[in-house]
Amino acid sequence: MARIFCVANQKGGVGKTTTCVNLAAALHQAGQRTLLIDLDPQGNATMGSGVEKRSLTTSVYHLLVGLSGLADVRVNSSTGGYDVLPANRDLAGAEVELVNLDKREKRLRDALAPFDADYDFILIDCPPSLSLLTLNGLCAAHGVIIPMQCEYYALEGLSDLVSSIKKVHANLNRDLKVIGLLRVMFDPRVTLQQQVSAQLEGHFGDKVFTAIVPRNVRLAEAPSHGMPGVVFDKSAKGAQAYMAFAAEMIERVKTL
Ligand code: ADP
Ligand code: MG
């Protein structure tokens, strides 16, 4: 059975896509059958997986509105090794079209169901909003991985996200839970970051992943080569952290 996780945070630029792409590649390297779903019309996870978003004939948009099945949309990441359901600007239109469709928040869940046996992990890269697209991600998932920077305002945003997750849990998806908080772009030399990190551990306990992803320029450079950071430079500190995170996820799913 596939374990399905949304990587979500309604803030932009917090490391969702970087986390999705690198976790997918690290899981693949660890022998896990992995599918990455790009639910963001920006298509960054698509490009970061080495898939050209401008030349797609079918994409997640076609899947959500019912024009194509999953088998026609998925492609393999030549650089990362995992499978991808790619996205591009077309997906922005889905938001509007979905409103009039039946079971509009469960389209992704229903599309994935027949392929459950194909994968060990399915990761969903959510857009920076609590939109109908994100809702489709949350309805399809067993859990949410929340990447966050250890800054003062990060905690404020977190309570909005957690209350949305609770609402989805109560009304749409009883399976959904917060799997954990991942500290990303971490700089241990900044006192405030250490303080927020300690606060997170105090407040959320073992919901905070042990792996910490440092700020590392190699992770930021990798997408311009169409590669996950863990492939582009696997000896870099950021890549090592994502490999440790993947190992932690493999252990954590055993307890779910
Ligand atoms: P989101 O998907 O939440 O908008 P991204 O993953 O695209 O965020 O990250 C935002 C920017 O920060 C990107 O340019 C990315 O390359 C960079 N970035 C992400 N994680 C790191 C990191 N650990 N170290 C350095 N740069 C990072
Ligand atoms: Mg993104």
Side-chain angles (χ1 to χ4, degrees):
M1 189 185 100
R3 291 294 182 170
I4 308 176
F5 301 108
C6 268
V7 177
N9 189 322
Q10 76 277 26
K11 287 178 70 174
V14 293
K16 290 181 292 296
T17 299
T18 305
T19 295
C20 247
V21 166
N22 283 286
L23 179 58
L27 287 170
H28 172 77
Q29 287 174 2
Q32 305 290 314
R33 298 167 305 153
T34 305
L35 173 70
L36 167 58
I37 303 174
D38 192 351
L39 263 196
D40 188 338
Q42 291 183 77
N44 292 342
T46 299
M47 296 292 279
S49 301
V51 178
E52 177 49 65
K53 67 179 177 184
R54 292 173 198 87
S55 53
L56 302 174
T57 46
T58 56
S59 67
V60 168
Y61 162 79
H62 299 82
L63 186 74
L64 290 178
V65 301
L67 288 171
S68 303
L70 188 143
D72 297 321
V73 174
R74 76 175 149 192
V75 292
N76 187 255
S77 163
S78 58
T79 54
Y82 50 86
D83 283 351
V84 185
L85 298 184
N88 58 23
R89 288 172 57 186
D90 289 349
L91 189 55
E95 188 83 42
V96 182
E97 289 174 47
L98 282 174
V99 171
N100 298 315
L101 296 180
D102 193 33
K103 295 208 286 178
R104 60 192 178 191
E105 65 284 320
K106 301 206 168 143
R107 310 283 301 184
L108 182 63
R109 190 195 68 173
D110 292 348
L112 291 177
F115 295 85
D116 198 56
D118 286 15
Y119 298 102
D120 300 306
F121 282 89
I122 298 179
L123 305 176
I124 305 172
D125 187 27
C126 289
S129 62
L130 296 169
S131 60
L132 195 45
L133 289 171
T134 300
L135 201 54
N136 262 274
L138 294 175
C139 283
H142 300 116
V144 186
I145 296 166
I146 306 173
M148 56 187 302
Q149 294 176 46
C150 291
E151 289 167 351
Y152 178 69
Y153 289 113
L155 294 169
E156 259 180 32
L158 195 59
S159 56
D160 291 344
L161 180 61
V162 170
S163 79
S164 303
I165 292 169
K166 282 190 180 145
K167 277 185 207 149
V168 175
H169 173 85
N171 299 305
L172 294 165
N173 178 4
R174 300 298 293 176
D175 292 340
L176 190 68
K177 50 166 98 92
V178 173
I179 301 298
L181 304 174
L182 177 68
R183 290 163 285 183
V184 297
M185 297 190 224
F186 191 72
D187 184 348
R189 293 164 304 180
V190 179
T191 309
L192 177 66
Q193 293 209 11
Q194 283 180 1
Q195 286 169 350
V196 172
S197 173
Q199 244 177 328
L200 283 177
E201 286 174 350
H203 200 267
F204 293 97
D206 58 11
K207 287 274 181 205
V208 182
F209 290 109
T210 308
I212 300 181
V213 180
R215 186 170 283 285
N216 177 231
V217 70
R218 302 298 273 168
L219 288 174
E221 287 167 356
S224 64
H225 301 270
M227 280 185 201
V230 299
V231 176
F232 178 60
D233 182 354
K234 66 177 175 205
S235 64
K237 284 217 163 67
Q240 297 280 326
Y242 274 116
M243 289 189 262
F245 177 46
E248 201 176 343
M249 280 301 295
I250 291 169
E251 283 309 306
R252 194 164 291 206
V253 294
K254 294 179 186 162
T255 66
L256 294 178

